[in-house]
Amino acid sequence: MSLSEEIASFRVNLARTLSCLYTIHQASEDLLESSAEEISLKLAKLQDLLSEVSDCHQSSVNYLVDIDQQWGSGQFSKSSKVNRSNHQSAALKSNKKKKIDELQSLVDYREKMGFPVAGSEEDNATVTKLQIGDKTYFGVNSSRNPNRRKITLRVNFISRTHAEADVFQQAFDAGVRSDYVKLVVDRDPCRACGLRGGIKGMARQLGVKTLEIISPSGRQIIQIT
């Protein structure tokens, strides 16, 4: 993509972000005049919009990086493209190996608990691992958890029964706090935990600023404000 195309794409992405923010502002004002049933639906819409804003922000950052690289060195030469491609390939291989190593610890924990293989027909468990500070906690969804605990963290009623809530509650009860946590899950987070902010909300209550999530579909870094 040329420099002018990068700048044009950045401006389109910025306009999309501003449009989402304006919609969020208008929707938040409507909450004051909404019934309890309407509030639930509107909050879900707001969470979807906030997720879109987050995606736009990351895309804008990527565009700015590319613009900066092209502005500093002109159009990419063939060799620079190859070097960049090789660097990205090496990074992808490193991330893939890291993801496999992290998920293996959940496989081992499943065996220890006597749970079926993740994703098999008889499997109805979700296992998570939370690394926070120098502590590591393993969690299981409430229907398969032999040590069910009361969830006092503020979180939606769906996520409350999930393995993610179990590990965050363990850390919360232990008084452990950190700016950075790593959450490993052997299923991709559901909409309630992921898109609608269940995991982010619980992490925020532990003082987390940077959240790393590793799941079967990949790895993502989320900045929490």
Side-chain angles (χ1 to χ4, degrees):
M1 188 180 292
S2 68
L3 180 58
S4 60
E5 289 174 330
E6 291 280 5
I7 293 174
S9 296
F10 169 72
R11 295 186 65 185
V12 168
N13 201 65
L14 185 59
R16 178 181 165 208
T17 304
L18 292 173
S19 175
C20 284
L21 288 173
Y22 179 77
T23 304
I24 289 170
H25 175 69
Q26 292 295 106
S28 64
E29 290 185 340
D30 292 342
L31 289 176
L32 297 174
E33 302 176 359
S34 302
S35 65
E37 293 180 356
E38 290 174 330
I39 285 177
S40 178
L41 293 173
K42 289 181 178 179
L43 284 177
K45 181 181 179 181
L46 281 171
Q47 288 176 332
D48 289 344
L49 286 168
L50 287 170
S51 178
E52 186 173 354
V53 168
S54 178
D55 291 340
C56 286
H57 167 71
Q58 187 56 57
S59 295
S60 295
V61 171
N62 292 338
Y63 284 131
L64 286 175
V65 169
D66 285 341
I67 290 169
D68 179 64
Q69 289 175 333
Q70 292 199 51
W71 183 262
S73 60
Q75 297 298 320
F76 289 125
S77 66
K78 182 177 180 180
S79 61
S80 67
K81 289 182 178 179
V82 170
N83 290 336
R84 189 182 187 196
S85 176
N86 290 340
H87 175 75
Q88 291 174 335
S89 177
L92 287 172
K93 289 179 180 178
S94 176
N95 287 338
K96 184 176 181 180
K97 182 180 185 301
K98 182 178 181 181
K99 184 186 79 170
I100 292 173
D101 291 342
E102 294 287 1
L103 291 175
Q104 182 58 46
S105 63
L106 301 186
V107 173
D108 296 339
Y109 188 81
R110 275 181 172 271
E111 292 180 355
K112 176 182 175 182
M113 298 296 292
F115 293 158
V117 174
S120 60
E121 288 187 7
E122 64 272 25
D123 177 39
N124 62 351
T126 300
V127 176
T128 61
K129 179 176 73 172
L130 182 70
Q131 292 178 271
I132 176 169
D134 60 351
K135 305 292 184 182
T136 299
Y137 301 95
F138 284 89
V140 181
N141 56 305
S142 62
S143 63
R144 291 301 306 269
N145 197 332
N147 302 302
R148 291 184 62 175
R149 55 187 45 81
K150 183 178 180 180
I151 304 300
T152 60
L153 290 166
R154 298 185 302 278
V155 68
N156 66 74
F157 71 95
I158 296 176
S159 298
R160 185 175 295 275
T161 64
H162 291 187
E164 294 89 342
D166 185 35
V167 284
F168 276 108
Q169 188 67 50
Q170 290 179 58
F172 184 81
D173 291 345
V176 181
R177 304 291 185 269
S178 177
D179 288 344
Y180 164 82
V181 299
K182 179 191 295 181
L183 179 70
V184 187
V185 194
D186 63 5
R187 292 182 193 270
D188 290 336
C190 67
R191 287 179 61 87
C193 289
L195 185 60
R196 293 188 174 174
I199 292 174
K200 287 174 62 176
M202 291 186 288
R204 186 179 290 111
Q205 293 170 67
L206 270 65
V208 176
K209 303 298 182 186
T210 302
L211 168 65
E212 179 179 2
I213 301 177
I214 296 177
S215 67
S217 65
R219 170 178 174 268
Q220 59 178 317
I221 303 291
I222 299 173
Q223 300 301 325
I224 300 177
T225 57

